[in-house]
Amino acid sequence: MRAVVALGGNALLRRGEELTSENQRANVRIACDALAPVALAHELVVSHGNGPQVGLLALQGAAYTEVPTYPLDILDAESEGMVGYMLEQELGRRIPPSRLATLLTQVVVDRDDPAFEDPTKFVGPVYSWDDADRLAKARGWTISKDGRGWRRVVPSPEPQHIVELRAIRLLVDHGVIVVCAGGGGVPVAAHPRMGTIGVEAVIDKDLSASLLARLLGADALLLLTDVEAVYDRW
């Protein structure tokens, strides 16, 4: 069986936890305990969220004021490497590391997608209203209520195509467990002269994982997050 598993950002960092590497590693360890038996018995492709991680990278970048802040597409790429590294390390303690690969993944979106005018994707930590309002005014953020707190929201356009699909399929066909399309992938858009260029957005990882599962002909798509029960055909 070929399975695509999407780990939610909150499965990697639980709501309310501090954005520390130790907390993320502890949660990745739990996730890999569940993933390893699947990887040993089936073809497995792993995707993951990046809301907390890309938000942390944005905050760290904003703290250094000597240069302009890095755009979200580059931070998305950084988060793919960060989480992919932790997943490879933990999975590599349960299955042969030679069967693992993390692939930086670009996902094409439409620059005219209406999502760019209506940011909805949560990134970064949860704030009180006072802190969120202050940061929004200082940094030009859009904020929205998330549970009892407030978080930054950014555009989340629909994924159209996966640039590295052929490479992913080649690796899976040869028995490699691939970590890819992390954080929904790095959002890029077609450009008449430059091929593709990065865009300021974060793609929803569930939508990218669904697209990936369809294009790979997967038998199963699992979306794992911090919900109170297991849902079938959600």
Side-chain angles (χ1 to χ4, degrees), residues 56-158:
L56 173 62
L57 292 170
L59 287 171
Q60 290 174 334
Y64 182 67
T65 59
E66 299 299 316
V67 297
T69 55
Y70 276 59
L72 282 173
D73 61 302
I74 293 179
L75 301 183
D76 287 326
E78 288 188 52
S79 71
E80 282 196 282
M82 177 197 304
V83 179
Y85 165 67
M86 290 189 285
L87 286 170
E88 275 203 48
Q89 277 209 323
E90 287 300 328
L91 278 174
R93 296 186 175 101
R94 296 158 177 81
I95 60 177
S98 59
R99 290 189 56 204
L100 298 169
T102 297
L103 188 65
L104 187 69
T105 313
Q106 300 172 88
V107 176
V108 178
V109 301
D110 185 350
R111 286 205 289 180
D112 294 324
D113 191 305
F116 287 105
E117 303 299 324
D118 182 25
T120 58
K121 177 69 174 176
F122 290 111
V123 299
V126 178
Y127 298 102
S128 67
W129 163 252
D130 289 340
D131 287 340
D133 185 54
R134 174 177 52 80
L135 288 166
K137 291 174 179 176
R139 298 175 178 172
W141 290 356
T142 301
I143 58 171
S144 184
K145 191 169 180 59
D146 183 17
R148 296 182 178 180
W150 296 80
R151 295 176 72 190
R152 181 188 178 190
V153 288
V154 301
S156 183
E158 294 270 343

Side-chain angles (χ1 to χ4, degrees), residues 111 189-197:
R111 286 205 289 180
H191 189 277
R193 296 187 307 278
M194 300 173 64
T196 58
I197 58 171

